[in-house]
């Protein structure tokens, strides 16, 4: 994968740059020893690595502002970083960059239960946001599977989703405001603790901008009271088509579960070997979760099982206890781990119209045969956000490349049927060069205009999201 | 001018950007009074962009031309038991305007209603747009799937940009089922402090409240604090009872089933539509509402109000020459919906104003699209 050639100008001034950074940060907050910067060489897309020139770990907005003022003054590229769990290479450094990590900025600044929001520093992990309010029975809804590790900073940058976003929405629907530092060091407040800020919806475009418009240092997030209870049902089918039709019928019937997760046979088998969750011998499994009081749960599950029964499921297992609920979810939650045990895998994230599910699954099966690589599917079926996991062997020469080709074919297929390249992981470097399959040059140019406005010098995470050829003249100037 | 498709529209705009002729964009014409007065040479009618082009109930998605009458969309969805989640208000009551609201107008002004607090606003349900920018280029962003983080989210940027960044031609939405039943829990005769506390308690409960409004007492009528619960019958009954029990700590409570009229009136701010005084829309955090309302009443005895969104959205009617922003003693912003005594939008901090101006200059370099509407 191509990355811009590091700037000799910048590299040759490394010691000067580091010295300047040390004037505004404590010593332990500036890392420049190659042995130490190496820890920041990649995110969760581990196939691509490049140690940065230096790493800074500021503690507050003011320090971030001072760092950015120095970097923009010296024309030094900056790559913001949360917890480094991006699957798209969003936090991948360039050799001439300063990685600005917000991990030390993890405080809670304000909790307000009357107005139902929490204000945190952006380095706080997703799960610990809920952790800060759960003693009052509140929670922060977006729940990426990586929630133990990933930071709100990364969630905002990627507009992350989770299993429960069918009901609660993704990050952008739960974000009220941010404090952000622009590349020139200027601190801006966008949004606030009320709904619908005045003027253009800048918050909406900042969320999901993959660290290219500014460094988010604080965020105001909506919090909700926990539901009284939740319960999953597991339903097995003897074909993907039927499982897909069942999802569609449930939605059409007006039932809106909080989660509808789908696993196909290769995934079920791998998970069974690994987690022994007791999943049935089936072509496809749906895990559907509903929420509410006991009576409400029963009412919704009655409707769901009535619909599912019409599709002749091979198994229909309603949880009867919290242990059974945990067992049903155990397999789903272990899916990535189970895959990781049998092979290296690449996790795709294309989204398709739900109606195209059977077709897309069939085509993925064909591609799998054609490329000779196994694929397991596990995904959020209610919203069509697929997660095909392509299995490969990183030690086998050429296998990664083969896997990437196949991944590209699957993503193109997603776009072809009316979907998109990425539903929640972001473009990063991984899907950068596929952008033109979804957007034409005018569409891309319009997005670049937005970056021009926020970061005219193109110093912030500039090698991501857009094909390098479309950004070259901007990055060079 | 009434272009019949995107290409014709693009030609129109290209011509205008060449000659510098300024364009006003017109959907159904029911919300033209929103925003600042536009200075224009020609009007672009969106009548040619009418019709639902895709509707998949099983995927909860609908795509329509920007000129499609809202009523047509509502009706199409209703036949499959679905609706736009964000309950867009109808401005005809307040603005005394005529015509059929279009979906493009709803998006351009980011119009929502009481359900905003639970289901999100128009910008949250919007998943894709096509538009023609100020140079006559057709641009798309987002698409027709519910989850999409491919590139920047210009969908949200376009929602509420009042046509100043581009002329919307097509919009796509995530839709939701129409709830089987609805229940309204009313707390009677609460003062504003009690009302806001009760609404906060309700919204902070697990009962999934989809509407929370306060109608202060007016000549002869006592104040009402109303809370809405929606969903399947049994579930609504259960939650409404639970909520009523919770709220009864604040005063006398009653429950009414399927009182759709009261929510339509709240949505359309009917109670303030009466005379021709100015109407303001004030956005604050709910717990700040009582302090602001007290200050407002102090500086303008004739001010009339309605609180929605648990107190976070305050509708106010005051005389035309009264500058409400002088009374905004808490964080938030105030927009003029009816009246022209002051700038329509709240002045932005200068950094943000600069960013917004630069964005407008990029999307519409010559300044031909609804010039001046956002200031
Ligand atoms: C096992 C696993 C499961 C996952 N499951 C999910 C899932 O269910 N749903 C989902 O959506 N994602 C999932 N992810 C992806 C990932 O966790 C998310 O993208 C997450 O939001 C990244 O957060 P982070 O803090 O690790 O960000 P990083 O990886 O550090 O950075 C991500 C991006 O954010 C930018 N960024 C970081 N900090 C800032 C800042 N302060 N200001 C501006 N930009 C910034 C970076 O430059 C980069 O572009 C998963 C990842 C793994 C490894």
């Amino acid at each position: 994968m191509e990355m811009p050639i590091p700037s000799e100008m910048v590299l040759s001034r490394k010691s000067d740059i580091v010295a300047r950074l040390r004037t505004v940060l404590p010593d332990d907050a500036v890392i420049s020893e190659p042995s130490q910067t190496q820890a920041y060489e990649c995110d969760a897309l581990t196939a691509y690595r490049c140690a940065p020139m230096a790493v800074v770990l500021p503690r507050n907005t003011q320090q971030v502002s001072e760092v950015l003022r120095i970097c923009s003054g010296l024309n030094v590229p900056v790559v913001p970083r949360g917890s480094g769990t991006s699957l798209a290479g969003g936090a991948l450094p360039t050799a001439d960059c300063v990685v600005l990590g917000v991990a030390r900025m993890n405080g809670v600044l304000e909790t307000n239960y009357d107005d139902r929001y929490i204000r945190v520093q952006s380095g706080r992990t997703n799960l610990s946001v809920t952790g800060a309010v759960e003693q009052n029975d509140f929670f922060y809804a977006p729940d990426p599977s990586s929630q133990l590790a990933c930071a709100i900073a990364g969630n905002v940058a990627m507009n992350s989703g989770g299993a429960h976003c069918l009901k609660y929405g993704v990050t952008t629907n739960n974000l009220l405001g941010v404090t952000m530092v622009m590349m020139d060091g200027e601190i801006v407040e966008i949004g606030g603790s009320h709904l619908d800020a005045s003027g253009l919806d800048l918050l909406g475009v900042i969320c999901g901008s993959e660290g290219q418009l500014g460094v988010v240092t604080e965020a105001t997030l909506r919090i909700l009271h926990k539901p009284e209870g939740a319960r999953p049902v597991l339903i097995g089918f003897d074909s993907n088509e039927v499982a897909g039709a069942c999802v569609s019928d449930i939605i059409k019937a007006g039932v809106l579960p909080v989660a509808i997760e789908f696993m196909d046979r290769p995934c079920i088998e791998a998970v069974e070997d690994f987690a022994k969750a007791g999943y049935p011998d089936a072509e496809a499994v749906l895990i559907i979760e509903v929420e509410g009081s006991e009576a409400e749960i029963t009412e919704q599950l009655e409707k769901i099982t009535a619909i599912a029964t019409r599709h002749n499921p091979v198994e229909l297992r309603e949880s009867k206890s919290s242990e059974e609920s945990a067992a049903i979810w155990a397999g789903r939650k272990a899916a990535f781990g189970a895959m990781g045990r049998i092979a290296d895998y690449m996790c795709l994230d294309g989204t398709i119209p739900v109606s195209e599910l059977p077709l897309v699954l069939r085509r993925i099966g064909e591609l799998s045969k054609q490329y000779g690589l196994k694929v397991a599917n596990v995904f959020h079926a209610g919203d069509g956000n697929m997660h095909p996991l392509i299995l490969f062997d990183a030690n086998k020469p050429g296998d990664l490349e083969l896997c990437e080709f196949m991944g590209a074919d699957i993503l193109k297929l997603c776009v072809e049927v009316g979907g998109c390249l990425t539903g929640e992981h972001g473009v990063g470097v991984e899907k950068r060069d596929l952008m033109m399959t979804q957007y034409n040059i005018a569409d891309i140019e319009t997005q670049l205009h937005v970056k021009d406005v926020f970061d005219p010098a193109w110093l912030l995470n500039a090698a991501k999201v857009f094909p390098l050829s479309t950004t070259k003249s901007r990055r060079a100037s | 001018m009434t272009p019949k498709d995107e290409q014709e529209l693009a030609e129109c705009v290209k011509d205008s950007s060449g000659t510098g002729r300024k364009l006003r964009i017109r959907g159904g014409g029911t919300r033209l009074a929103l925003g600042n007065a536009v200075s224009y040479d020609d009007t672009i009618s969106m009548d040619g962009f009418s019709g639902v082009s895709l509707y998949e109930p099983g995927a909860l998605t609908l795509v329509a031309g920007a000129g499609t009458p809202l009523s047509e969309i509502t009706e199409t969805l209703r036949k499959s038991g679905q609706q736009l989640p964000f309950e867009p208000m109808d401005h005809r009551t307040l603005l005394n305007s005529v015509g059929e609201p279009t979906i493009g107008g709803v998006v351009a002004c980011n119009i929502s209603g009481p359900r905003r607090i639970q289901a999100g606003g128009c910008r949250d349900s919007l998943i894709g747009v096509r538009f023609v920018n100020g140079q006559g280029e057709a641009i798309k962003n987002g698409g027709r799937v519910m989850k999409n983080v491919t590139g920047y989210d210009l969908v949200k940027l376009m929602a509420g940009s009042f046509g100043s960044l581009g002329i919307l031609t097509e919009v796509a939405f995530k839709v939701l089922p129409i709830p089987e039943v609805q229940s309204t829990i009313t707390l009677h005769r609460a003062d504003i402090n009690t009302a806001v506390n009760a609404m906060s308690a309700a919204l902070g409960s697990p009962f999934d409240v989809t509407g929370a409004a306060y109608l202060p007492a007016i000549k002869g009528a006592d104040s009402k604090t109303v809370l809405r619960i929606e969903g399947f019958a049994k579930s609504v009954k259960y939650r409404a009872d639970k909520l009523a029990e919770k709220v009864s700590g604040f005063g006398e409570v009653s429950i009414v089933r399927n009182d759709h009229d009261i929510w339509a009136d709240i949505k359309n701010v009917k109670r303030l539509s009466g005379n021709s005084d100015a109407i303001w829309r004030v956005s604050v955090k709910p717990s700040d509402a009582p302090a602001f309302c007290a200050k407002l009443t102090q500086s303008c005895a004739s001010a009339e109000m309605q609180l929605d969104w648990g107190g976070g959205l305050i509708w106010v009617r005051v005389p035309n020459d009264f500058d409400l922003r002088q009374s905004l003693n808490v964080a938030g912003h105030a927009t003029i919906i009816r009246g022209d005594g002051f700038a329509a939008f709240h002045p932005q901090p200068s950094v943000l104003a600069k960013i917004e101006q630069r964005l407008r200059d990029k999307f519409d370099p010559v300044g031909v699209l609804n010039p001046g509407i956002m200031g």
Side-chain angles (χ1 to χ4, degrees), chain A residues 43-44 79-92 100 102 122-123 143-147 149-163 180 209-217 332 336 345 349 380 385 387 423-426 428 461 464, chain B residues 147:
Chain A
D43 52 27
V79 173
R81 182 180 174 102
S83 303
T85 68
S86 169
L87 289 165
L92 176 71
L100 193 166
V102 293
S122 67
D143 58 342
S145 319
S146 52
Q147 65 183 156
C150 66
I152 292 300
N155 293 177
V156 171
M158 292 312 202
N159 189 15
S160 303
M180 185 174 90
S209 63
E210 306 206 10
Q212 292 198 311
L213 302 185
V215 175
V216 172
T217 57
R332 167 63 183 89
F336 285 27
Y345 69 80
D349 170 48
H380 316 304
N385 190 185
H387 286 321
E424 59 181 19
H425 294 167
N461 217 10
K464 313 288 167 65
Chain B
K147 279 174 78 186

Side-chain angles (χ1 to χ4, degrees), chain B residues 176-216:
Chain B
L176 285 179
I178 297 175
E180 191 177 87
V181 294
Q182 180 230 81
S183 215
T184 302
I185 295 101
T186 306
L187 168 67
H188 300 274
R189 291 178 293 280
D191 62 20
I192 185 166
N193 284 294
T194 311
V196 169
N197 287 338
M199 290 192 285
S200 283
L203 289 166
S205 77
F207 307 123
D208 214 9
V209 173
T210 68
Y214 177 59
L215 309 170

Side-chain angles (χ1 to χ4, degrees), chain B residues 48-362:
Chain B
F49 295 81
S50 185
V52 172
S53 52
L54 180 141
Y55 175 38
E56 274 184 21
L60 299 173
T61 38
L62 175 131
V63 183
T68 313
L70 186 58
S71 55
E72 185 181 327
I73 290 183
T74 311
E75 191 47 30
T76 304
L77 290 169
R78 197 191 56 79
K79 284 189 193 137
S80 293
Q82 298 182 341
Q83 63 182 4
L84 292 172
F86 51 93
E87 207 179 3
M89 84 176 274
D90 186 335
H91 277 82
R92 284 176 293 190
T93 319
L94 268 190
L95 298 177
N96 220 344
S97 52
V98 290
E100 275 301 310
T102 62
I103 192 66
V106 168
V107 172
C109 310
N110 188 27
I111 305 296
S112 309
R115 207 180 285 107
R116 166 82 182 88
I117 45 171
Q118 186 260 359
C122 173
R123 53 92 83 178
D124 294 288
S125 294
L126 189 68
I127 54 178
V129 291
R130 293 188 65 89
F131 62 94
V132 170
N133 69 15
Q135 287 172 297
E137 295 167 316
I139 308 294
K140 71 163 177 303
N141 194 262
R144 52 164 289 204
V145 286
M146 271 185 228
K147 279 174 78 186
N148 188 343
V149 296
T150 321
Y152 295 164
D153 190 348
L154 304 185
V155 171
K156 301 224 166 28
L157 189 65
M158 294 308 291
S161 63
F162 288 84
S164 69
L165 299 179
I167 304 178
L168 293 162
T169 56
E170 187 181 86
V171 289
F173 291 97
K174 170 188 175 177
V175 300
L176 285 179
I178 297 175
E180 191 177 87
V181 294
Q182 180 230 81
S183 215
T184 302
I185 295 101
T186 306
L187 168 67
H188 300 274
R189 291 178 293 280
D191 62 20
I192 185 166
N193 284 294
T194 311
V196 169
N197 287 338
M199 290 192 285
S200 283
L203 289 166
S205 77
F207 307 123
D208 214 9
V209 173
T210 68
Y214 177 59
L215 309 170
I218 29 170
K219 41 181 177 341
D222 288 334
S223 85
K224 278 184 179 180
T225 310
V226 285
L227 303 166
R228 181 174 61 185
I229 300 273
E230 297 174 299
F232 291 118
K234 276 192 230 161
S235 158
V236 167
K237 164 117 186 48
Y238 168 82
R239 286 181 287 140
D241 289 347
K242 280 286 209 187
L243 189 63
E245 191 185 313
K246 190 172 178 101
V247 178
S248 64
F250 295 92
E252 186 199 328
V253 169
S254 60
I255 304 182
V256 184
R257 256 172 72 124
N258 290 334
D259 184 354
H260 294 284
D261 292 345
I262 192 168
W263 291 102
D265 290 351
I266 290 168
K267 175 180 79 170
N268 299 331
V269 204
K270 188 167 169 214
R271 69 153 34 202
L272 302 186
S273 62
N275 62 28
S276 59
D277 281 355
I279 303 279
W280 293 71
R281 184 179 183 277
V282 185
S283 191
V284 299
K285 70 179 189 208
S287 59
D288 282 342
F292 163 67
C293 293
K295 166 82 178 165
L296 182 64
T297 312
Q298 214 177 56
S299 16
C300 178
S302 66
E304 305 243 30
M305 294 162 231
Q306 165 182 310
L307 276 59
D308 197 352
W309 298 356
L313 173 63
I314 306 168
W315 290 94
V316 184
R317 187 174 69 198
V318 286
N320 268 297
D321 57 358
F322 178 79
D323 184 359
L324 176 140
R325 290 186 185 118
Q326 302 294 332
S327 301
L328 190 56
N329 55 349
V330 297
H333 61 92
T335 309
I336 300 191
I337 299 300
R338 188 173 81 188
D340 46 19
F342 305 91
F345 297 99
H346 206 88
Q348 292 274 54
S350 66
V351 214
L352 297 187
K354 235 186 299 169
I355 293 175
E356 294 192 8
Q357 191 50 49
R358 286 193 198 132
L359 283 171
R360 264 184 228 111
D361 292 345
K362 291 281 185 189

Side-chain angles (χ1 to χ4, degrees), chain A residues 58-301:
Chain A
R59 288 203 183 268
N60 55 48
T61 304
Q62 198 54 43
Q63 288 180 349
V64 171
S65 164
E66 283 162 10
V67 165
L68 291 181
R69 222 176 276 278
I70 290 170
C71 291
S72 65
L74 298 173
N75 241 337
V76 179
V78 171
V79 173
R81 182 180 174 102
S83 303
T85 68
S86 169
L87 289 165
L92 176 71
T94 52
D96 57 357
C97 87
V98 169
V99 163
L100 193 166
V102 293
R104 289 185 182 172
M105 300 173 49
N106 58 8
V108 172
L109 303 168
E110 186 192 353
T111 34
N112 183 327
Y113 295 102
D114 284 339
D115 297 319
R116 300 165 302 285
Y117 67 82
I118 181 169
R119 186 160 179 81
V120 297
Q121 285 186 303
S122 67
R124 193 169 183 87
T125 61
N126 174 294
L127 194 61
S128 69
V129 172
T130 290
V133 294
E134 70 187 346
Q135 79 275 13
N136 285 46
D137 288 329
F138 275 71
F139 73 113
Y140 173 59
D143 58 342
S145 319
S146 52
Q147 65 183 156
L148 191 63
C150 66
I152 292 300
N155 293 177
V156 171
M158 292 312 202
N159 189 15
S160 303
H164 292 77
C165 61
L166 185 57
K167 172 158 182 202
Y168 295 110
V170 294
T171 303
T172 191
N173 311 113
N174 292 277
L175 179 68
L176 292 172
V178 294
T179 301
M180 185 174 90
V181 187
M182 313 256 285
M183 188 61 213
D184 63 5
E186 176 136 28
I187 299 167
V188 292
E189 295 290 337
I190 295 171
S193 37
H194 46 79
L195 295 170
D196 293 348
S198 181
L200 292 176
D201 191 351
L202 300 179
L203 190 62
V205 74
I206 284 161
C207 189
S209 63
E210 306 206 10
Q212 292 198 311
L213 302 185
V215 175
V216 172
T217 57
E218 297 175 9
T220 306
L221 308 167
R222 268 159 73 101
I223 50 173
L224 298 169
H225 194 286
K226 281 191 180 154
E228 289 180 274
R231 195 181 309 150
V233 53
L234 180 146
I235 315 169
F237 295 95
D238 56 15
S239 90
N240 287 331
E241 273 87 351
V242 178
C246 180
V247 170
S248 172
D249 284 353
I250 289 169
I251 290 173
K252 273 191 262 184
V255 188
L256 195 67
V258 279
I260 307 181
E261 299 287 298
F262 189 121
M263 296 163 81
D264 70 357
R265 178 177 281 285
C267 185
I268 299 166
E269 285 174 354
V271 159
E272 264 313 291
D273 284 350
F274 179 64
K276 311 259 178 307
Y279 284 5
D281 180 17
E283 287 303 314
V285 155
L286 296 177
I287 298 174
I288 304 181
E289 181 155 282
V290 297
E291 283 180 354
S293 66
E294 195 50 41
E296 292 175 276
I297 288 175
T298 310
E299 187 183 17
Q300 293 177 73
L301 285 183

